[in-house]
Amino acid sequence: MRLLIVRDRKPGHFHQTEGLARLIAERVPAEIDRLPVKPRRLAHSFVRRMALKHFAKDPAWWLGLLYGVDVAGLARPDVVLASGRPTIAAGIFLARHFGADLVYTGRATGYDRADFTRMLVPFPRYAAEPQSTYSPIPCTVEPDRLPSPKPLKNNEDLAGARIALLLGGKSHGHRFRDDEWQAVVRFVEASAAAFGIRWSVSTSRRTPPAVADLFAGQAARGVLETFVDYRQGGAGSAAALFALDAIVVTEDSLSMITEAVTARRPVIALKPDKVEASMNDEAVAMMYARGAVSVLPLASLTPDLFARELTRLTPDSHDIRAEIWSAIEPVVAKYRRS
């Protein structure tokens, strides 16, 4: 079978489709193609939805007009994989043009459900909606390839523990104040001094440059074991950090939290003061209930509070890939049989 990954520019989105494609290809012989897409300047979301609803007789023409995509250069896919709102209309037009199945990771609202073969949603309360099923978020982390982490059961275990800090930034529902960023910088230095933690820090595309500069300064002073600057490394440059003993991540990125849990490490999510309620709260709460994740306030974080929470956590031992496969297997079953 042939898979076509439709990619936007956000790593949190295309890591989901890359992980899903990898999982499928491990079980079904598959060729994987990739199509980066970016809506043209005037092709905003409303225009894309109207084109799909009222002017959809020539999908290839609309792909060229809205995205600059020439379908003549594409091999016919059996299944189109998409994630992220900019990819939805492109995925639908591609599936219509080629007569392919369309699988979307996430919950696509405002579109005709009949255009989707399957939506993989990480929120159980939406799993019964048309064309939807529950699935953990796919990702590219492969836990079986990672070394076993050092057990962290008490404060003494933190001495020499290698811990990753994955930094996000402003998102639709999360706002970070300058004093909160400053608090994280101070916390890293204070916890390293108090417990002997060996910190590795990675920024992301949403991390403010001034914040990245602060951690770069720590790295220059020898506070950090490793510093991964997204501005130089780009997407995937922090992959090695998932092999460390524990992972701390800012709560704005559900994808990064899921990646950390998938790595079977204890995970602490740092929550800013200004947070809007969202569907992501349900997914985080499920991880919290399994005892693998703790959520701590970013501004008031102290080494003692951090140590108390981290040492009570138990890494998630179950393999979410089995759940993801259960969700996607009915779509690819016909290719598996052939």
Side-chain angles (χ1 to χ4, degrees):
M1 66 181 297
R2 185 174 289 273
L3 305 172
L4 176 60
I5 297 175
V6 184
R7 292 174 50 137
D8 68 7
R9 63 191 182 96
K10 295 183 178 180
H13 294 155
F14 64 72
H15 283 173
Q16 295 182 36
T17 48
E18 290 286 348
L20 184 58
R22 183 182 299 177
L23 184 147
I24 293 171
E26 289 173 351
R27 293 161 173 79
V28 182
E31 296 288 334
I32 303 174
D33 299 317
R34 294 165 179 84
L35 177 66
V37 297
K38 180 181 179 181
R40 286 181 162 170
R41 183 167 172 266
L42 298 179
H44 51 77
S45 180
F46 174 79
V47 173
R48 301 195 300 267
R49 289 198 304 270
M50 290 303 100
L52 286 166
K53 186 174 181 180
H54 300 294
F55 308 101
K57 291 185 179 180
D58 191 347
W61 186 83
W62 281 104
L63 280 164
L65 181 67
L66 299 177
Y67 291 95
V69 171
D70 181 5
V71 296
L74 299 176
R76 181 194 177 279
D78 298 300
V79 180
V80 176
L81 306 177
S83 181
R85 297 200 70 80
T87 71
I88 298 175
I92 292 173
F93 280 130
L94 286 163
R96 288 178 180 178
H97 175 76
F98 289 111
D101 291 313
L102 174 60
V103 176
Y104 183 77
T105 63
R107 185 169 177 261
T109 57
Y111 293 86
D112 187 346
R113 295 301 182 90
D115 280 312
F116 299 85
T117 306
R118 186 65 53 92
M119 285 188 201
L120 306 185
V121 295
F123 319 111
R125 58 178 158 165
Y126 298 115
E129 292 182 343
Q131 311 304 106
S132 301
T133 190
Y134 170 74
S135 168
I137 295 176
C139 68
T140 57
V141 174
E142 297 181 285
D144 295 336
R145 297 178 179 269
L146 299 176
S148 298
K150 175 185 179 180
L152 304 176
K153 297 300 182 183
N154 52 57
N155 289 3
E156 288 71 29
D157 292 336
L158 298 180
R162 304 174 70 218
I163 300 180
L165 171 58
L166 308 181
L167 299 169
K170 179 181 177 181
S171 67
H172 176 72
H174 290 72
R175 300 292 185 273
F176 295 83
R177 301 190 307 263
D178 288 344
D179 66 292
E180 290 177 319
W181 288 123
Q182 294 284 350
V184 176
V185 174
R186 291 194 302 271
F187 162 74
V188 167
E189 199 144 347
S191 58
F195 297 112
I197 293 171
R198 298 160 60 190
W199 284 101
S200 292
V201 176
S202 173
T203 63
S204 70
R205 61 181 294 273
R206 289 204 306 270
T207 306
V211 176
D213 290 342
L214 291 173
F215 284 100
Q218 281 191 332
R221 291 185 288 108
V223 176
L224 306 180
E225 181 177 66
T226 305
F227 176 61
V228 180
D229 193 336
Y230 182 89
R231 295 171 295 183
Q232 278 77 53
S237 54
L241 272 58
F242 291 102
L244 303 189
D245 300 317
I247 300 173
V248 182
V249 57
T250 52
E251 200 205 32
D252 56 282
S253 176
L254 180 59
S255 293
M256 286 200 300
I257 296 173
T258 303
E259 288 172 336
V261 171
T262 302
R264 300 175 186 165
R265 267 70 182 155
V267 179
I268 288 184
L270 301 182
K271 183 177 183 179
D273 184 54
K274 294 183 178 180
V275 177
E276 296 180 9
S278 72
M279 293 184 295
N280 290 355
D281 296 339
E282 182 177 3
V284 174
M286 292 174 62
M287 300 178 203
Y288 183 93
R290 291 201 297 266
V293 174
S294 180
V295 180
L296 296 178
L298 191 152
S300 58
L301 186 62
T302 66
D304 287 340
L305 173 60
F306 175 80
R308 184 167 67 246
E309 286 298 300
L310 182 62
T311 54
R312 75 170 183 81
L313 295 175
T314 301
D316 203 335
S317 60
H318 88 290
D319 191 343
I320 68 169
R321 293 172 300 178
E323 293 180 81
I324 299 169
W325 176 246
S326 294
I328 192 63
E329 196 274 339
V331 177
V332 301
K334 55 187 173 183
Y335 306 104
R336 198 181 193 189
R337 288 195 297 270
S338 62

